[in-house]
Amino acid sequence: MDIIMLIGGLLLILAGANFMTDGSASVAPRMGLSDFIVGLTIVSMMTSAPELVVSITSAVNQAPSMAVGNIVGSNIFNILIIIGLVAVIKPIKVENGLLYNEIPLVILSSLVLLTMGSSPILDGTPMTLTRVDGILLLFFFIIFMRYTIASAKKTDPAPTQTKEQQCKKEMPLWRALIFIFGGLAALVFGGEWFVDGATGLARSMGWSEGLIGLTILAAGTSLPELATSIAAAIKGFPGLCVGNVIGSNIFNIFFVLGATSTILP
């Protein structure tokens, strides 16, 4: 049964990534947004849904280290594995705006989490993400969204599009929305099945809960980002790939951990 769930979850993830990429690429020009901005906001939030569910569930079930480990492990997986595979499939052109604006935000989010986690060294208090820390992280997320919306208004859509891309973007709006939300549902359920199947197999091999959380759980909840980014790269939307990874990493720390620690330190 674990093997069946593993394979079925993987198939759902691949199908969901394909549908959501097509739908998002179709919605972008209608909103006057570039592929990168759509990946940075809409797609990254959707593909981070598994991290949000897993982290809140872990915290409620009194497994806080698994909640934090899931986010940190997912972010490392996003940068090293996803960006690495996408670059192998299709070289990524790094724009100046990405280099000087979005990447520093990823570094800032990591430094904020590192500072909050270093409380025993800095002031001798227990290593805990308090509700105050959670609210602060959520404020950072609001600032990030405000900045992104302001940047989107200044960003012009890509001037050149391939024939295939034009066909995707002429998709009716109702169909594009069905593709986006149907793809998201497939990603969430597929990710859950994949993690459950992989966890069952790991337990049968004698792996500890901590090791499962830091490896399989982190990689499993990052599968939506991986599948979406690879699908976007193959379809010729590299901006969607990079925006997805950057947005997911920022969203994971500022919103997912912020919401989780606000609900339960």
Side-chain angles (χ1 to χ4, degrees):
M1 183 58 68
D2 288 333
I3 294 175
I4 292 175
M5 292 183 68
L6 193 70
I7 296 175
L10 182 59
L11 292 177
L12 268 180
I13 288 172
L14 295 176
N18 184 64
F19 285 133
M20 197 164 70
T21 300
D22 289 347
S24 300
S26 177
V27 168
R30 289 186 172 92
M31 300 174 63
L33 302 176
S34 65
D35 296 329
F36 174 77
I37 294 295
V38 173
L40 190 65
T41 54
I42 300 173
V43 176
S44 65
M45 292 181 189
M46 290 181 173
T47 54
S48 289
E51 283 92 342
L52 178 62
V53 173
V54 168
S55 293
I56 291 179
T57 303
S58 299
V60 171
N61 292 334
Q62 301 300 316
S65 60
M66 185 172 290
V68 178
N70 174 38
I71 296 303
V72 175
S74 294
N75 282 13
I76 294 173
F77 185 92
N78 287 348
I79 294 175
L80 300 183
I81 301 296
I82 296 178
I83 293 293
L85 287 176
V86 168
V88 170
I89 295 172
K90 191 177 185 67
I92 303 171
K93 181 181 179 181
V94 180
E95 305 288 348
N96 287 335
L98 172 65
L99 185 62
Y100 297 111
N101 295 327
E102 279 74 29
I103 290 180
L105 285 175
V106 177
I107 298 174
L108 173 64
S109 65
S110 301
L111 290 176
V112 168
L113 180 58
L114 176 63
T115 303
M116 290 180 174
S118 300
S119 54
I121 300 174
L122 297 177
D123 56 12
T125 58
M127 189 180 298
T128 304
L129 285 177
T130 65
R131 284 194 172 91
V132 174
D133 292 334
I135 293 172
L136 183 61
L137 289 173
L138 291 177
F139 274 125
F140 273 115
F141 176 72
I142 293 173
I143 295 172
F144 162 68
M145 289 303 301
R146 178 67 183 87
Y147 158 77
T148 303
I149 293 172
S151 299
K153 295 179 180 178
K154 302 177 183 178
T155 304
D156 294 324
T160 57
Q161 304 293 340
T162 64
K163 183 176 180 181
E164 180 184 0
Q165 290 170 337
Q166 289 290 353
C167 292
K168 299 291 186 188
K169 295 185 178 184
E170 291 173 0
M171 181 190 302
L173 181 59
W174 64 268
R175 184 182 299 174
L177 294 177
I178 291 176
F179 272 37
I180 291 175
F181 290 104
L184 173 62
L187 286 173
V188 172
F189 285 111
E192 182 178 354
W193 290 359
F194 183 90
V195 171
D196 288 345
T199 302
L201 289 175
R203 284 173 177 164
S204 67
M205 294 186 292
W207 288 23
S208 67
E209 294 288 338
L211 184 59
I212 293 172
L214 290 172
T215 54
I216 294 177
L217 195 61
T221 54
S222 289
L223 283 178
E225 286 94 336
L226 175 62
T228 302
S229 295
I230 291 179
I234 294 174
K235 294 173 183 293
F237 298 102
L240 201 66
C241 312
V242 181
N244 178 29
V245 169
I246 290 178
S248 293
N249 280 20
I250 296 174
F251 185 83
N252 284 346
I253 292 178
F254 285 159
F255 185 79
V256 176
L257 272 184
T260 302
S261 55
T262 299
I263 295 172
L264 187 67

